[in-house]
Structures are given as C-alpha cells and as structure tokens.
Amino acid sequence: MEDLTKGAPRIKAAIFDLDGTLLNTLPDLVVVTNTALENAGMPPRTEREILGFVGNGVKSLISQAVPEGTTPEELAKVYDEWCRLHHQLGTRLTRPYPGVVEMLDELKARGIALGVLSNKFDDGVQEVVAQYLPGYFTVVHGESAEIPRKPDPTGLRRSIAELGVTPEEALYAGDSPNDVRTAIAAGAFPVAVAWGYHTEEDFQAPGAEPSLMAHHPQDILALV
C-alpha cells in the first residue's frame, strides 16, 4: 500500500480508536462476553470467534455472540449483563500495545492535541482510558446518545472541533476499515494500524484504503 506521508498536511491533532489500536482488550472481552453468555445459559465462544465480532460496539458483539434464534428481550438481558460484568470484573488483562505509550509521550512532547473516539460504550471508554492511559487525551468519546457508532463521522467531527483544529489538520488512526471510512468521511487523514484486530487485506475494500498503514506506533510520528 502506498505511503502518502510525504503529501500529508501539517498535523496538529491525533485522534485514536481504542480497542485494537491503543489497547489490547481482547483477553478481557473474551472473559466478560463468555461469562455473560454462560450466565444466560448460552454456550461460550472461542477467542477467535469473539475477535471476529469486535469493532462495531458492544451491542454488535453481543448480537453476534448469542445463539441464533435469541429473542430481542434475551439479547437485551445479555447486553445488560455484559455491561454489569465489565464494570465488575474490570479490565485486568488489558494492556497498551508495545510502543503506544512511547508514541503518545512523543506526540504530547511535540505539542500534538490528542483524543480518543471509540465504538465502545462511553462509560467503558472513560474508565479504561483513565486506568491505562491517564493524562494524555484532551477529548475522549465512546458511543452515546450524542455520539453514534462509526463509520458515522459525527463523533470524529465533534472531536476535531473540540481539539480546536480543522479536519485537514487531524489524523484518525484505527485498526478497522470502518475507522478509515470514518476518517475519510470527516475529512481527516486516515491511518490504519496493522497490529490490531484486522489484517492488512481488510483495508483493500472499496472506501477503506488508508493514506498510511502503520506497522508500529512510531510510524505515526512521521506525520507530525
């Protein structure tokens, strides 16, 4: 994939997806999801299956994880249980990806405004960012009544405005094709990361090709 960093605009803000981009949350997602399923009398899923379900928010994860034929009422109960367990069990197995903290330190030192925009429910985003990456981000948003799930660009446009820059001065980095689509729709510089929950081949889909494929967090520093 072509590296377009030479033609990149002057970046003043960097906004990131969370799960699969800054933090490896998959081990905790497996524990919480399977506990919620088992508490509802439903069979557990493998880590590989759950990996295939992530990327579009908790409701999407749960709707794919429950057995076929699950009623909307049962689905809602599993979702509520998932959220309860997430708060109760915490994120004990979650860790930043190698190089992420160092990248954020350098971006902050260079005066780059930082933000997070995730499809995870907002309370969960606020909690895990405060726990594992405190003090870096001026703006942190998860899915809420005001922030619809990506690829809707509303949340990214709002985050860019809150950071006081134009879309052309912002990059958005994420590990899924929807993250790239979101960046393009918002007018930001789209960056895909290769270390997350999707393969590089996933970014060959129409409308999901990033301007930069980052193989290590340090690659993003080339933009600033």
Side-chain angles (χ1 to χ4, degrees), residues 182-200:
T182 303
I184 293 171
F189 190 86
V191 177
V193 306
W195 57 80
Y197 301 155
H198 288 261
T199 67
E200 291 190 45

Side-chain angles (χ1 to χ4, degrees), residues 60-127:
S60 176
L61 164 63
I62 296 303
S63 68
Q64 296 174 86
V66 297
E68 185 177 353
T70 299
T71 67
E73 293 76 17
E74 291 171 329
L75 179 62
K77 289 180 180 178
V78 176
Y79 172 78
D80 289 343
E81 178 69 356
W82 193 100
C83 293
R84 184 188 71 80
L85 288 166
H86 183 272
H87 180 73
Q88 174 185 317
L89 298 177
T91 53
R92 291 168 290 185
L93 304 177
T94 290
R95 296 291 183 273
Y97 283 101
V100 161
V101 170
E102 292 81 1
M103 173 195 68
L104 294 175
D105 283 335
E106 184 61 26
L107 289 171
K108 191 173 182 179
R110 296 186 190 186
I112 302 301
L114 300 176
V116 168
L117 174 67
S118 170
N119 271 352
K120 187 196 292 283
F121 65 104
D122 189 64
D123 286 349
V125 172
Q126 303 296 334
E127 181 179 345

